[in-house]
Amino acid sequence: MQPTVTIKRLGWLAAATIVLGVLIGVGAGLLTLLLYGVEHVLLGYIEGPELSGPFGVPAARRAISVTVGLGIAGIIWYLLRRKTTAVSSVKKAVAGERMPFWQTIVHVVLQIFIVGSGASIGREVAPRELGAMIAQRFCDLFHIEGVDGIDRRMVVAVAAGAGLGGVYDAPLAGMFFAVEILLVDVTIEKVAFGLGMSAIAAFVAVAIKGHCLFYDITAMQPESTPTLMLFALICGAACGVGGALFRKGSQWAEAHKPTGKAILRQMPLAGLITGLVAIVVPQVMGNGRAAAQLGFSTFIPETAGTAGAMQSASSSAASPWNLLTGGGNVSDSASGGGAGSGMASFWAMLQGGSGSSGSGMNAGFPLSQSNIWMLLGVLALTFVTKALVTLMTIRSGASGGVLQPGIALGSTLGAMLGLVWILMFPTDSVTACALIGAASLLSASQQAPLMAMCLVMELSEAPVSFFVPVGMAVATSSLISKWLLSRKQVDTYILAPLSEGSCRTQ
């Protein structure tokens, strides 16, 4: 039964929207600045539209940064989890479990710290947990409970969503995260409350950290096409399978985290392995922005004219395909073997030692149909390593999110499918295919189609017309992943008793 809307209720809802929106926006903005600070100190760069990953950072510095970062975090998390009150998850906080104050602050800062050091894990859980903890204190202060705690649950869930909306300047995604994932209940009141708080949090956070395009999709065709709708069905099906597998993998990794002193060796080991992998695949580091941008920046000139796609000089210069081979003027790249050196050497080896790693976009990784198998190989390598290293990081004991890693996996998978697709349908662009893949795999892995679609569209600032093919792909992937996940659960439920029964009869 929904609470009766009164003037008093509208008053405290409005007050909570403004006060919590401002506080969470400040927190989200400061967490973003903290991320930039850690990246600057440990890796010597700051991620942004011109540099989506640590491509110009020497390989040794990358390895040391992520190993030391995860090592330090492992020690502090061991002490937090063993010696103090454990930090509850956001879902448990919504259900009523208390989030300790200073432990939550330390836990949140650690998540940002390891992402800034280069760990392959998302950072979006931190602002959600911060928002939920602040909301609990707000409810305590003003005695907000409601019948059976319904109002407190709503406030905490909406505040957590506002943390997501604030840190990524994505109010729609923040609202849908609250009502679709945490509350699983859509009402006018919850939608209005969630959207208002997320919008205020996003506005305040942008005022602190500034606004910049998170994903550059300017190499995309200007309009959707009938063939892109067909691609959306195929890509949605593939991403439904991939998203279901990634969801199961992340759940397994979370369930098998070390609970004792093993975290003290497993987390730095995960950091060392991440650093070694990043010698060849630097885009594996961080929350997934660099890997996702690799898919979004896959631009094939031969079909661009037919599709009506264009890539500006600035977009070309910032493309990970250019930066992987040492292109562009990236600080630290001249200080003893930049990020491009590892991948450039790998590229030259695959070419049989011919060709230079060059400085132009087409010098080391020529983006053309004649090199489609090489492009597919790099995207596949990025997809596999990003998935495995992210799961390894979670399994080692790290806390964090999987939203951005999910977008990265979807973008690279969509780009791989798109490279093949444009051979038959050159009226479409690989960037559009990557956009569809990013939203559909995220939807499948999170089982939240509305949140996933809005988050990807808001982060990329995609044209509204692309909601149509993206929506088609998201619907397809959500249904297929739901069927696969429920089938697995049913099989486990049915077969487990049978196995136990057969053991008893032997």
Side-chain angles (χ1 to χ4, degrees):
M1 182 178 178
Q2 295 299 320
T4 303
V5 179
T6 62
I7 296 297
K8 179 180 178 181
R9 183 174 181 81
L10 286 176
W12 75 256
L13 281 172
T17 300
I18 297 171
V19 174
L20 287 176
V22 170
L23 291 176
I24 294 168
V26 171
L30 293 178
L31 288 177
T32 302
L33 295 182
L34 174 63
L35 174 70
Y36 295 161
V38 174
E39 288 175 338
H40 177 70
V41 172
L42 295 184
L43 291 168
Y45 92 109
I46 296 176
E47 68 173 60
E50 296 80 21
L51 193 58
S52 57
F55 296 105
V57 181
R61 183 171 184 174
R62 290 199 305 267
I64 293 172
S65 171
V66 68
T67 303
V68 171
L70 284 176
I72 293 173
I75 295 172
I76 300 176
W77 263 320
Y78 170 75
L79 295 174
L80 275 180
R81 294 168 184 174
R82 301 285 292 184
K83 307 298 182 181
T84 68
T85 304
V87 178
S88 305
S89 67
V90 170
K91 285 191 175 182
K92 290 181 178 179
V94 172
E97 194 167 308
R98 186 75 171 174
M99 299 190 76
F101 181 75
W102 70 265
Q103 292 94 331
T104 300
I105 298 295
V106 174
H107 177 67
V108 164
V109 169
L110 282 177
Q111 293 176 58
I112 302 300
F113 174 72
I114 63 172
V115 173
S117 72
S120 178
I121 197 168
R123 62 183 172 102
E124 66 279 347
V125 172
R128 299 199 311 246
E129 291 176 335
L130 181 63
M133 187 271 292
I134 293 174
Q136 285 186 338
R137 269 58 187 181
F138 181 87
C139 291
D140 292 342
L141 182 63
F142 293 99
H143 307 290
I144 298 174
E145 288 293 339
V147 179
D148 296 326
I150 187 173
D151 289 339
R152 173 181 281 264
R153 287 197 298 272
M154 180 180 68
V155 172
V156 174
V158 165
L164 174 66
V167 79
Y168 286 134
D169 191 15
L172 283 173
M175 179 271 292
F176 279 123
F177 177 84
V179 301
E180 189 178 28
I181 295 180
L182 296 178
L183 295 172
V184 198
D185 181 26
V186 180
T187 65
I188 293 294
E189 183 179 83
K190 292 180 176 65
V191 169
F193 189 34
L195 188 56
M197 192 184 298
S198 289
I200 292 175
F203 176 79
V204 173
V206 167
I208 294 173
K209 65 184 178 67
H211 173 76
C212 63
L213 183 64
F214 201 86
Y215 289 127
D216 180 5
I217 60 167
T218 53
M220 188 171 68
Q221 66 208 66
E223 298 292 339
S224 178
T225 63
T227 53
L228 195 62
M229 292 294 290
L230 179 59
F231 175 83
L233 288 172
I234 298 171
C235 183
C239 288
V241 176
L245 292 174
F246 185 58
R247 182 179 180 87
K248 295 297 291 185
S250 59
Q251 289 174 340
W252 174 87
E254 187 71 34
H256 289 80
K257 280 184 176 181
T259 57
K261 292 184 178 180
I263 192 176
L264 300 176
R265 61 175 182 274
Q266 290 188 20
M267 283 191 62
L269 178 60
L272 178 60
I273 294 174
T274 301
L276 293 176
V277 171
I279 294 174
V280 174
V281 194
Q283 64 270 26
V284 79
M285 296 183 73
N287 64 356
R289 185 175 187 174
Q293 191 59 58
L294 184 73
F296 294 135
S297 297
T298 306
F299 178 77
I300 305 300
E302 290 93 331
T303 63
T306 306
M310 297 178 60
Q311 188 176 38
S312 65
S314 59
S315 178
S316 172
S319 169
W321 292 105
N322 180 33
L323 300 173
L324 276 172
T325 52
N329 297 319
V330 182
S331 62
D332 288 334
S333 62
S335 61
S341 60
M343 181 56 89
S345 301
F346 181 64
W347 164 251
M349 179 187 70
L350 292 178
Q351 287 185 310
S354 62
S356 169
S357 61
S359 60
M361 182 182 70
N362 293 326
F365 277 103
L367 299 178
S368 66
Q369 287 184 324
S370 61
N371 291 295
I372 187 171
W373 294 110
M374 186 61 65
L375 302 179
L376 285 169
V378 174
L379 287 167
L381 180 63
T382 302
F383 178 88
V384 172
T385 53
K386 186 63 182 177
L388 294 179
V389 173
T390 299
L391 296 180
M392 175 193 66
T393 303
I394 298 172
R395 171 65 178 80
S396 72
S399 293
V402 290
L403 294 188
Q404 289 298 338
I407 292 176
L409 297 179
S411 174
T412 50
L413 179 56
M416 284 188 280
L417 296 173
L419 283 171
V420 178
W421 184 258
I422 64 171
L423 296 177
M424 300 176 289
F425 302 100
T427 54
D428 297 323
S429 63
V430 179
T431 301
C433 297
L435 179 73
I436 289 171
S440 52
L441 195 143
L442 178 64
S443 170
S445 64
Q446 293 296 307
Q447 293 292 283
L450 295 175
M451 183 279 296
M453 179 170 61
C454 289
L455 181 60
V456 172
M457 295 293 284
E458 287 177 304
L459 288 176
S460 62
E461 299 182 9
V464 175
S465 61
F466 281 87
F467 265 108
V468 178
V470 168
M472 176 67 74
V474 163
T476 305
S477 69
S478 298
L479 288 174
I480 289 179
S481 61
K482 182 67 175 178
W483 175 72
L484 289 173
L485 293 169
S486 62
R487 181 185 179 188
K488 180 65 176 177
Q489 292 168 358
V490 169
D491 288 346
T492 302
Y493 177 78
I494 294 175
L495 293 178
L498 292 177
S499 299
E500 294 172 2
S502 62
C503 290
R504 286 194 297 267
T505 59
Q506 292 177 351

